[in-house]
Amino acid sequence: MAGVPSPNRIKTHQIYTIWEAAEALGRHRQTVIRWIKDKGLIADQSRVPWLIRGADLKDFLGHRRAKVRTRLALHHLYCLGCKEPQEPDGKFAEYSQQTATTGMLKALCPACGCILNKVVKRADLEVIRAKIEVAVQQANPRLVSLLDPRSNDTSTPEASTHDKTQLG
Ligand SMILES: [Zn+2]
């Protein structure tokens, strides 16, 4: 099931049967039935065949696509407090390398102030940096101490080792 079909395939003022909706969207009719039974797609079930208003179907697909987009946004971090993805407060996050290919992105939730963490691929960092400011290791000291109380020890020379990450 790759992605959600485009709402543009549906005509707002047309009435669709399950078959017609499935046909128009290139999906199995069982999929459309599942949308109605489990996912909240509005349909007239008072008689057979069930009828779906084009406007309702468009709405439904639009919301599902928006959801998928939110989940996939690389620069958003999921907030356990808000139970939804958030853009980092001040559009600022800190990245620390953890393995050769991945690192930890840390930021503050703009809504509730929670600390947000997310493992990201090193390769995705450039994409993330197009959206928000990302400090690699040597971050805003205030944010660093907020995010990780143990890192208060800034006297260690290792904190400023060779800056081989050419990101900024
Ligand atoms: Zn939050």
Side-chain angles (χ1 to χ4, degrees):
M1 302 298 115
V4 178
S6 168
N8 297 336
R9 295 179 177 194
I10 298 299
K11 295 190 181 95
T12 308
H13 298 292
Q14 192 166 322
I15 303 290
Y16 293 84
T17 62
I18 305 284
W19 275 104
E20 289 163 349
E23 183 91 339
L25 297 170
R27 286 295 190 274
H28 197 277
R29 70 183 191 285
Q30 286 299 337
T31 304
V32 179
I33 291 170
R34 201 165 56 237
W35 287 344
I36 295 168
K37 288 187 166 171
D38 303 336
K39 309 286 184 190
L41 170 60
I42 299 166
D44 179 359
Q45 302 177 43
S46 63
R47 59 204 150 131
V48 179
W50 292 356
L51 297 176
I52 308 161
R53 287 170 49 218
D56 289 335
L57 188 50
K58 262 176 123 65
D59 241 39
F60 173 81
L61 294 171
H63 281 121
R64 285 182 67 82
R65 280 165 76 89
K67 248 178 155 170
V68 169
R69 263 202 306 276
T70 310
R71 192 168 69 233
L72 292 182
L74 282 170
H75 68 296
H76 285 173
L77 291 84
Y78 189 82
C79 176
L80 293 171
C82 301
K83 301 206 189 311
E84 59 180 304
Q86 294 284 5
E87 186 173 81
D89 187 33
K91 296 197 175 197
F92 176 82
E94 186 211 347
Y95 174 88
S96 52
Q97 195 78 32
Q98 294 206 315
T99 72
T101 55
T102 65
M104 184 66 80
L105 200 63
K106 293 182 177 183
L108 295 174
C109 174
C112 72
C114 275
I115 295 168
L116 312 174
N117 289 298
K118 180 165 101 167
V119 175
V120 295
K121 292 197 194 101
R122 176 71 177 74
D124 287 337
L125 208 49
E126 292 312 312
V127 179
I128 295 169
R129 289 194 131 196
K131 302 283 187 184
I132 60 172
E133 187 187 341
V134 179
V136 177
Q137 286 184 341
Q138 68 278 34
N140 176 341
R142 191 173 141 264
L143 181 59
V144 172
S145 61
L146 268 174
L147 293 174
D148 186 358
R150 287 165 307 174
S151 70
N152 282 343
D153 184 8
T154 47
S155 58
T156 45
E158 283 143 37
S160 58
T161 38
H162 47 267
D163 197 2
K164 66 181 174 185
T165 49
Q166 292 181 341
L167 283 168

